[in-house]
């Protein structure tokens, strides 16, 4: 790749002339080598997220409004027994088990260096699946909750250590700032050359605005009411060869950026979305619920989960992208077109299926529901 910077074969020697590599760079190199296994470039398949099913009891110790329109709140949790929490890296998320039994995923948006607190942010979605409403209306300071994780399906790969890029460009749309903010903080601390565009409807609706603007001239804030809806070219301003782009936001934004980056040689793209991906190359089929005999028609452009929720609204789900396992069910008959990133060959052979993304390879599936 023209102008690329080679990845060092080994960490640099100690700054003070010792015979072995500097300890700090050895630690960073080990972290980067681990992240390299998770690296995903545009046009490649998503890497499977490491599944961490440990359940941690946490207590809510702080709740605050992060957007002036009050639609976004941040929640700070600590361990119920006060002990240090498992470490995490930028891009990680928690599975939050709500009192109703719902499970929802929220990106960690605090400081990874703080081992005694986890921070997440939740936008209130009146017409969603009910999870955000429950968080806003039911979780008060002192509430005990259980989480699973942290785990990371959107890792930050440092330039020179797992990434051939020389600089980083971040794009965040609205609540999409949550996984991006810890990445920005790490890039800033390590002296990485970076820039960011933060977009949203208005300054009143985008969370953590003061935190983002504290980074100064590297950040451009674009709001629809002041500048109009941004184009991909405006969101990618200054991006050229040897740049890695990290993007999180609405589907329209992430798709537009992906389409643009495909035509930009030497640019790496890493992205995450908060809504399910569109069905690609889908065909219509039927699903039968074995316990009741009900038959459900699954259109070519809809997921099994979407249609099952219409008749079984209490069916468990979370990520809707095929990596958290919450919607796993067993198939009793039919051939499955597996489209997830986490089930093992053994689990698939046993009939397991993630109904948020996987489909039928024939005309009908019979599910143990």
């Amino acid at each position: 790749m023209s102008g690329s910077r080679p990845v060092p074969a080994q960490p640099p020697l100690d700054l003070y002339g010792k015979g072995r590599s500097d300890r700090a760079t050895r630690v960073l190199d080990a972290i980067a080598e681990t992240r390299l296994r998770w690296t995903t470039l545009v046009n490649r398949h998503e890497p499977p997220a490491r599944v961490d099913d440990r359940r941690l009891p946490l207590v809510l110790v702080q709740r605050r409004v992060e957007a002036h329109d009050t639609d976004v709140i941040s929640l700070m949790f600590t361990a119920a027994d006060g002990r240090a929490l498992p470490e995490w890296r930028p891009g990680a998320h928690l599975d939050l088990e709500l009192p109703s039994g719902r499970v929802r995923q929220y990106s960690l948006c605090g400081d990874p260096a703080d081992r005694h607190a986890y921070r997440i942010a939740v936008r209130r979605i009146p017409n969603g699946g009910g999870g955000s409403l429950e968080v806003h209306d039911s979780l008060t300071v002192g509430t005990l909750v259980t989480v699973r994780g942290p785990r990371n399906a959107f890792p930050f790969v440092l330039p020179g250590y797992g990434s051939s890029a020389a600089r980083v460009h971040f794009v965040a749309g609205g609540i999409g700032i949550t996984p991006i903010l810890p990445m920005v903080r790490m890039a800033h601390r390590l002296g990485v050359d970076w820039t960011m565009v933060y977009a949203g409807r208005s300054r009143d609706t985008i969370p953590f605005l003061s935190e983002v603007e504290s980074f100064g001239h590297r950040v451009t804030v674009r709001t629809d009411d002041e500048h109009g809806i941004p184009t991909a070219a405006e969101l990618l301003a200054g991006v050229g060869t040897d740049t890695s782009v990290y993007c999180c936001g609405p589907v329209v934004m992430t798709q537009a950026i992906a389409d643009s980056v495909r035509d930009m040689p030497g640019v790496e793209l890493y992205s995450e979305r908060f809504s399910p991906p569109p069905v690609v190359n889908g065909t219509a089929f039927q699903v039968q619920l074995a316990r009741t005999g009900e038959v459900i028609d699954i259109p070519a452009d809809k997921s099994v989960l979407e249609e099952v929720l219409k008749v079984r609204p209490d069916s468990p789900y979370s990520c809707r992208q095929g990596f958290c396992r919450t919607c796993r069910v067993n198939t009793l008959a039919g051939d499955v077109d597996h489209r997830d990133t986490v089930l093992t060959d053994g689990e698939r052979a046993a009939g397991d299926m993630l109904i948020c993304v996987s489909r039928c390879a024939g005309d009908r599936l019979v599910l143990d529901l």
Side-chain angles (χ1 to χ4, degrees), residues 178-340:
T178 52
I180 296 294
L181 191 52
M183 297 181 187
V184 169
R185 191 176 288 114
M186 173 175 279
H188 194 72
R189 283 177 178 170
L190 296 179
V192 174
D193 183 11
W194 67 273
T195 52
M196 180 171 76
V197 175
Y198 187 17
R201 297 192 307 273
S202 68
R203 295 178 69 87
D204 285 340
T205 64
I206 51 179
F208 304 114
L209 182 59
S210 61
E211 285 188 42
V212 171
E213 290 188 323
S214 70
F215 291 105
H217 70 279
R218 292 181 180 272
V219 176
T220 299
V221 177
R222 291 189 58 97
T223 56
D224 299 348
D225 60 345
E226 294 180 8
H227 307 284
I229 298 175
T231 64
E234 291 169 332
L235 295 172
L236 294 171
V239 172
T241 301
D242 297 335
T243 301
S244 59
V245 176
Y246 288 80
C247 174
C248 186
V251 173
V252 173
M253 170 188 285
T254 58
Q255 188 60 55
I257 288 178
D259 292 342
S260 295
V261 167
R262 287 192 182 95
D263 298 324
M264 302 173 70
V267 176
E268 301 174 1
L269 175 63
Y270 306 80
S271 66
E272 183 175 64
R273 65 178 83 201
F274 288 130
S275 57
V279 176
V280 177
N281 297 325
T283 58
F285 59 96
Q286 291 183 325
V287 162
Q288 182 176 358
L289 308 186
R291 300 177 194 177
T292 64
E294 293 171 277
V295 175
I296 304 172
D297 292 321
I298 310 297
D301 61 346
K302 301 293 183 181
S303 71
V304 175
L305 176 65
E306 287 180 88
E307 300 307 304
V308 167
L309 286 172
K310 293 177 181 179
V311 297
R312 293 288 181 274
D314 59 345
S315 298
Y317 72 92
S318 184
C319 75
R320 298 181 294 170
Q321 298 179 54
F323 61 80
C324 79
R325 296 171 177 255
T326 303
C327 68
R328 180 171 56 177
V329 300
N330 191 253
T331 57
L332 304 179
D335 296 323
V336 179
D337 173 13
H338 290 285
R339 301 188 178 192
D340 65 273

Side-chain angles (χ1 to χ4, degrees), residues 338-361:
H338 290 285
R339 301 188 178 192
D340 65 273
T341 60
V342 294
L343 292 183
T344 65
D345 290 341
E347 289 171 326
R348 292 179 177 183
D352 286 351
M353 170 186 181
L354 301 189
I355 61 174
C356 65
V357 291
S358 295
R359 304 182 66 78
C360 181

